Amino acid sequence: MKKTLLALAVLASIAGVASAQSSVTIYGVVDAGITRETGAIAGAVTKLSTGVQSGNRLGFKGTEDLGGGLKANFQLENGFDLDTGAQRQSGRLFGRQAWVGLSGAFGAVNLGRQYNPIFLSMDAIDPFGTGLSGATTNLMSAGTVRVDNAITYSMPAINGFTATALFGAGESSNGNKVNAKAGASVDFNKGPLLVTAAWNKVASNSAIVGSNGTEDILVGATYNFGPVTAHAAYETEEVNDGKTAKYRDFMVGASVPVGPGSFLASYIDKNDRMANSKKGAKQIAVGYLYSLSKRTNLYTSYARIKNEAGARNYVSDASSGGVADASKEQALGSTSSAFSVGLRHKF
């Protein structure tokens, strides 16, 4: 950890010098709250959680004008737990993002650890922003949230349309197709309407013939009616071409400005399509964000999941980071819930 802090300090000093020559920004999020989770096999627990609404981070991003409309860009983002100071993303120094790229009239090409397009699409249409107790990712798949060894291309916006494609090399001795990841998204964002469609494919983690990995397809939208913004999504999830697991997921939700903040609500139905499998679940969630300033807000949220007879999904606060936690595992067919209240500050 001492080496990590030293590296961050050196980077910060370098950023200060570089800012005189190009645009370099140091930014971050600090978020902590109290959560109460019930229904786990390990029993109910009340704890100080970290990154409940948004993952804690310290980041560096910058751009240099190379002339002729061409720019060099980079982003390095460290994730950490606020309650202990420990690094997240398996202890990586820049586990949230680490990439460099070029942009211009042709669009943008980036190389390094980056977000999966399907996760960015889900984050944009989820009333809870894939955070808090009601995160859509509790039941719906966002693929591999971040992809190593990734190459992305994003086209410039044209009349509200944008598109992104990603390929993450498997870098296996059996060939780049093993463990490889691919994704793409197309978005339309103009006026009150946002529509997104995304695809994600993860190749087999072995060279076994017939093991075709996982594939997700997501379509979603939001529409701002003024007094309320409507949210909706539909997703298909399949493992091994649907031979091992097959789901159809639906989400409807709303965000409503109330006072100095917003009221949030959503309902998710995870529909298991495998015969006699009964591994689906349903989630209902509500929350409220209270703005103290443009950068600081209070939050509270509650979510409840009802599992089908063969399922043990669980409600999780965002601090789980999508990593399985045995202490949160549910009994088959159980009901679980999570309540959170906390504070987030962005700088």
Side-chain angles (χ1 to χ4, degrees):
M1 193 62 193
K2 290 182 180 178
K3 292 181 180 179
T4 296
L5 292 175
L6 178 61
L8 290 174
V10 171
L11 266 173
S13 64
I14 292 173
V17 174
S19 61
Q21 303 173 4
S22 60
S23 173
V24 178
T25 302
I26 300 175
Y27 66 95
V29 174
V30 282
D31 177 327
I34 298 173
T35 62
R36 172 71 174 176
E37 298 173 352
T38 63
I41 291 177
V45 60
T46 301
K47 60 184 180 180
L48 178 65
S49 293
T50 175
V52 179
Q53 181 181 0
S54 302
N56 292 291
R57 68 201 71 177
L58 175 62
F60 306 84
K61 60 183 177 181
T63 182
E64 180 186 13
D65 191 340
L66 302 175
L70 185 65
K71 294 180 179 180
N73 311 289
F74 78 91
Q75 188 164 8
L76 303 171
E77 194 173 87
N78 170 265
F80 61 93
D81 285 334
L82 193 63
D83 53 347
T84 65
Q87 290 186 177
R88 294 193 63 80
Q89 290 82 45
S90 302
R92 304 179 192 217
L93 177 58
F94 296 113
R96 291 185 59 87
Q97 296 187 77
W99 57 263
V100 65
L102 294 172
S103 63
F106 62 89
V109 175
N110 297 327
L111 310 174
R113 180 171 168 85
Q114 301 171 70
Y115 281 108
N116 195 328
I118 197 169
F119 171 77
L120 295 176
S121 291
M122 186 169 291
D123 186 69
I125 59 176
D126 182 358
F128 292 87
T130 61
L132 301 170
S133 300
T136 298
T137 47
N138 287 339
L139 291 183
M140 297 177 68
S141 173
T144 303
V145 174
R146 300 173 184 88
V147 180
D148 291 337
N149 315 312
I151 303 170
T152 63
Y153 167 73
S154 300
M155 63 168 276
I158 301 176
N159 295 324
F161 283 96
T162 57
T164 298
L166 173 147
F167 176 74
E171 299 191 355
S172 166
S173 58
N174 292 318
N176 272 334
K177 291 185 178 180
V178 177
N179 296 323
K181 300 172 180 65
S185 64
V186 178
D187 304 311
F188 176 78
N189 191 354
K190 197 169 187 178
L193 178 64
L194 166 66
V195 179
T196 184
W199 166 79
N200 172 67
K201 177 76 172 182
V202 180
S204 167
N205 60 6
S206 69
I208 299 173
V209 176
S211 182
N212 298 304
T214 63
E215 185 173 29
D216 307 309
I217 299 174
L218 172 72
V219 178
T222 67
Y223 191 90
N224 187 348
F225 290 94
V228 59
T229 297
H231 304 249
Y234 170 77
E235 182 179 49
T236 64
E237 304 176 46
E238 296 190 356
V239 179
N240 191 15
D241 288 341
K243 299 180 182 69
T244 305
K246 183 186 298 185
Y247 296 99
R248 299 293 182 269
D249 307 331
F250 303 87
M251 183 275 289
V252 291
S255 52
V256 184
V258 179
S262 299
F263 172 78
L264 313 172
S266 69
Y267 171 79
I268 302 172
D269 186 343
K270 188 175 191 67
N271 191 340
D272 184 6
R273 306 293 290 178
M274 300 293 288
N276 302 317
S277 180
K278 296 184 179 180
K279 292 184 178 180
K282 294 177 174 59
Q283 173 179 289
I284 186 168
V286 293
Y288 183 68
L289 309 179
Y290 185 91
S291 298
L292 298 173
S293 71
K294 289 184 178 180
R295 296 186 298 170
T296 305
N297 70 273
L298 300 171
Y299 58 77
T300 185
S301 62
Y302 171 81
R304 180 178 181 271
I305 285 180
K306 172 59 179 174
N307 292 289
E308 290 187 348
R312 50 163 47 103
N313 297 303
Y314 55 81
V315 169
S316 165
D317 58 79
S319 63
S320 70
V323 178
D325 185 342
S327 69
K328 297 177 183 178
E329 189 175 82
Q330 312 300 314
L332 291 173
S334 66
T335 297
S336 61
S337 65
F339 171 78
S340 63
V341 57
L343 170 69
R344 181 186 70 169
H345 173 74
K346 298 183 291 184
F347 63 90

